[in-house]
C-alpha cells in the first residue's frame, strides 16, 4: 500500500499535503489545549474552527486514499501513515471545545461518534486492550423496550458495576500517566530531528495509546451529559405546553353545629357576636364600665349654656330682681373663697 505522502503528491499538486493538514490541525489543538484564555472566547473559538477545518480536510483525504483496511495488521501500516489514526480523536476533542448552547446536544453526539470511531479503529488493530463502548444509537437514542421507560433511570445503581467502573477508570489513569511519561522521553528525541524510523513509530503509537483512555473517559462523560440534555429538552417542551386556565379561588367555609346557627351567624366560630351593638352598650352602661361614664353629658352642658344666656338677657333688660341677685352673688364671692361650704370634699 502506497504511503499517504506519495499519494497526496501524485494528486492535488496545488492542494495542501495531507501531512501539512494534520500538522496544522494538531498544532492548533495543542495551542487551544495549553492556553489560559477561556474556551468560549472568540480567539480560541476561531482556532478551534480552523483546526477542525484542517483535520476534516485531512480525514476526507485519508478516506479517498483508502489508507487503512480491516484486513491488515498494525505492523503493515507504514510509520508515515500511523499518525493519521489520531484524526478522529483530535476531531472529537475539538468538537467538545465548541461553545454553542443551542446546539450542545448535537455537538456532544457528534463528538461521541468521533471518539467511538477512533476507539473502534484502535480495537481493530489491537493497539491496546480495552472494552469498546456501545454505539451511540444503542446507548442513548435507541428505542426503549417494553417496561423500560424513564422509571428505569431512577433505579438504585448497581454497586458492583459502580466499583468495576471505578477500578477501570483508575487503571486508565495509571495507563495514561505511564504513557505520557514514555512519550515525553521520545518526543524530545523526535523534536531534535535525530529519531530513526523505530523511534518515530514509537512516538506515534504512544500518542495513539494516550488518546485511548482519554476517549473512553470522554464517552462516559458524554453519555451522562446526553441524558441531562434530553431531560432538559423534555422539561422545556412541557413548559411550552398551554397551561390549564386557573380556577377562581374558593371562598372559605366552616361547618356549623346546626342549621339554625348557620342561618343566624353564617359561620361556626365560637367567638362570633351573640347580641346587637345596642344590647352590648346597655349592658356595659349598667355595669358602669363604659369609658364615658362620669363625664358630663352633652345635655348638661346645654342646660348651663341656656341658663347663662337667660341670665345675660335679664341683666340686659335691667330686671331689678335679677340684677340685685347678681350683685349679691358677686359680693358673696368676694368675701368667701372658692369651695367654701363644700363639706363633701373634706379630707
Amino acid at each position: 500500500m502506497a504511503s499517504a505522502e506519495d499519494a497526496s503528491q501524485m494528486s492535488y499538486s496545488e492542494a495542501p499535503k495531507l501531512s501539512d493538514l494534520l500538522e496544522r490541525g494538531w498544532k492548533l489543538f495543542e495551542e487551544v489545549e495549553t492556553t489560559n484564555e477561556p474556551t468560549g472566547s472568540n480567539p480560541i473559538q476561531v482556532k478551534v474552527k480552523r483546526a477542525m477545518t484542517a483535520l476534516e480536510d485531512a480525514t476526507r483525504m485519508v478516506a479517498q486514499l483508502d489508507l487503512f483496511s480491516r484486513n491488515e495488521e498494525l505492523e503493515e501500516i507504514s510509520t508515515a501513515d500511523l499518525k493519521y489514526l489520531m484524526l478522529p480523536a483530535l476531531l472529537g476533542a475539538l468538537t467538545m471545545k465548541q461553545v454553542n448552547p443551542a446546539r450542545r446536544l448535537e455537538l456532544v453526539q457528534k463528538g461521541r461518534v468521533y471518539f467511538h470511531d477512533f476507539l473502534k479503529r484502535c480495537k481493530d488493530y489491537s493497539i491496546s486492550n480495552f472494552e469498546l463502548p456501545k454505539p451511540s444509537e444503542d446507548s442513548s437514542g435507541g428505542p426503549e423496550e417494553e417496561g423500560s421507560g424513564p422509571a428505569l433511570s431512577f433505579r438504585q445503581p448497581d454497586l458492583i458495576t459502580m466499583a468495576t467502573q471505578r477500578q477501570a477508570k483508575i487503571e486508565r489513569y495509571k495507563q495514561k500517566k505511564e504513557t505520557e511519561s514514555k512519550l515525553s522521553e521520545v518526543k524530545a528525541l523526535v523534536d531534535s530531528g535525530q529519531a530513526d524510523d523505530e523511534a518515530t513509530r514509537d512516538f506515534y503509537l504512544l500518542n495513539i495509546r494516550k488518546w485511548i483512555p482519554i476517549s473512553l473517559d470522554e464517552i462516559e462523560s458524554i453519555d451522562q451529559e446526553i441524558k441531562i440534555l434530553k431531560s432538559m429538552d423534555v422539561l422545556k417542551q412541557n413548559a411550552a405546553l398551554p397551561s390549564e386556565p386557573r380556577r377562581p379561588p374558593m371562598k372559605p367555609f366552616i361547618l356549623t353545629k346546626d342549621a339554625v346557627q348557620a342561618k343566624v351567624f353564617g359561620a361556626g366560630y365560637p367567638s362570633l357576636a351573640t347580641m346587637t351593638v345596642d344590647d352590648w352598650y346597655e349592658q356595659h352602661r349598667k355595669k358602669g364600665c363604659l369609658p364615658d361614664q362620669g363625664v358630663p353629658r352633652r345635655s348638661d352642658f346645654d342646660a348651663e349654656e341656656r341658663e347663662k344666656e337667660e341670665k345675660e338677657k335679664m341683666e340686659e333688660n335691667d330686671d331689678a330682681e335679677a340684677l340685685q341677685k347678681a350683685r349679691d352673688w358677686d359680693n358673696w364671692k368676694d368675701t368667701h373663697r372658692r369651695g367654701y361650704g363644700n363639706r363633701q370634699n373634706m379630707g
Side-chain angles (χ1 to χ4, degrees):
M1 180 181 294
S3 67
E5 313 298 339
D6 299 336
S8 59
Q9 289 177 359
M10 291 190 311
S11 59
Y12 310 122
S13 58
E14 297 181 357
K17 294 192 299 182
L18 180 57
S19 59
D20 294 339
L21 291 173
L22 175 60
E23 183 178 355
R24 186 188 311 165
W26 197 352
K27 183 178 179 181
L28 286 170
F29 169 76
E30 289 181 344
E31 291 178 2
V32 172
E33 190 74 7
T34 57
T35 186
N36 292 327
E37 294 187 40
T39 306
S41 62
N42 187 60
I44 299 301
Q45 288 299 302
V46 170
K47 287 185 179 181
V48 169
K49 291 180 181 178
R50 286 171 53 195
M52 290 195 66
T53 300
L55 296 178
E56 286 171 352
D57 291 342
T59 301
R60 283 190 287 268
M61 195 174 294
V62 168
Q64 292 174 359
L65 297 174
D66 197 16
L67 294 183
F68 306 109
S69 173
R70 293 184 178 180
N71 299 324
E72 62 183 356
E73 300 294 333
L74 180 63
E75 293 75 13
E76 299 179 37
I77 302 177
S78 64
T79 302
D81 295 346
L82 197 60
K83 55 188 175 183
Y84 301 113
L85 288 173
M86 293 187 299
L87 280 171
L90 293 172
L91 282 170
L94 288 167
T95 301
M96 297 301 295
K97 291 186 179 298
Q98 288 184 295
V99 178
N100 190 343
R103 298 177 54 236
R104 182 61 183 173
L105 180 59
E106 175 188 346
L107 291 175
V108 296
Q109 289 175 334
K110 183 179 179 182
R112 193 189 194 284
V113 171
Y114 279 129
F115 286 124
H116 189 273
D117 182 63
F118 167 74
L119 292 173
K120 188 175 185 304
R121 190 65 58 88
C122 293
K123 192 74 171 177
D124 292 341
Y125 284 112
S126 302
I127 296 178
S128 181
N129 184 22
F130 61 93
E131 184 178 354
L132 185 67
K134 296 180 180 180
S136 57
E137 59 268 17
D138 293 338
S139 61
S140 60
E144 296 179 346
E145 297 179 358
E146 184 179 357
S148 63
L152 286 178
S153 60
F154 296 100
R155 286 181 177 176
Q156 187 175 1
D158 187 359
L159 297 180
I160 298 178
T161 304
M162 292 177 62
T164 304
Q165 292 175 350
R166 182 176 180 275
Q167 186 63 31
K169 186 173 290 188
I170 293 174
E171 293 296 331
R172 289 199 299 265
Y173 179 77
K174 292 180 179 179
Q175 178 185 354
K176 178 185 174 184
K177 288 298 180 183
E178 182 181 354
T179 304
E180 289 177 348
S181 177
K182 295 179 181 179
L183 186 59
S184 61
E185 299 175 1
V186 180
K187 187 176 185 302
L189 186 62
V190 173
D191 292 342
S192 65
Q194 300 177 357
D196 55 8
D197 185 76
E198 184 178 356
T200 303
R201 189 177 184 87
D202 288 342
F203 174 72
Y204 291 139
L205 280 174
L206 286 172
N207 272 286
I208 294 171
R209 291 193 177 101
K210 182 189 77 171
W211 275 102
I212 290 176
I214 295 176
S215 300
L216 289 171
D217 290 340
E218 286 290 339
I219 286 181
E220 185 176 336
S221 299
I222 287 172
D223 288 343
Q224 296 176 0
E225 186 174 357
I226 286 176
K227 292 180 181 178
I228 295 174
L229 292 173
K230 288 186 175 181
S231 299
M232 292 175 62
D233 288 342
V234 172
L235 292 175
K236 290 179 181 178
Q237 292 175 2
N238 293 338
L241 295 176
S243 59
E244 297 182 359
R246 293 185 178 180
R247 296 180 178 179
M250 296 180 63
K251 294 182 179 181
F253 64 92
I254 298 175
L255 297 177
T256 57
K257 294 181 180 180
D258 51 43
V260 176
Q261 187 181 17
K263 184 177 180 181
V264 175
F265 303 119
Y269 290 111
S271 59
L272 284 178
T274 57
M275 64 180 67
T276 64
V277 176
D278 293 336
D279 294 339
W280 178 88
Y281 186 87
E282 183 64 23
Q283 181 182 0
H284 283 68
R285 186 190 65 79
K286 291 179 179 179
K287 293 180 180 180
C289 55
L290 291 175
D292 60 345
Q293 283 185 320
V295 180
R297 297 188 179 181
R298 181 70 179 175
S299 58
D300 298 337
F301 286 108
D302 294 342
E304 293 180 0
E305 289 292 333
R306 286 196 298 271
E307 185 178 352
K308 289 181 180 180
E309 290 178 0
E310 292 177 358
K311 184 182 296 184
E312 291 176 358
K313 289 180 180 180
M314 292 173 66
E315 291 177 355
E316 290 176 358
N317 295 330
D318 295 334
D319 188 347
E321 183 180 355
L323 183 60
Q324 184 62 38
K325 188 176 180 180
R327 288 175 181 176
D328 293 342
W329 173 246
D330 291 336
N331 293 333
W332 189 86
K333 286 195 294 183
D334 292 340
T335 58
H336 296 78
R337 58 188 178 88
R338 185 183 181 90
Y340 179 84
N342 185 3
R343 307 200 43 95
Q344 294 182 358
N345 293 331
M346 293 179 63

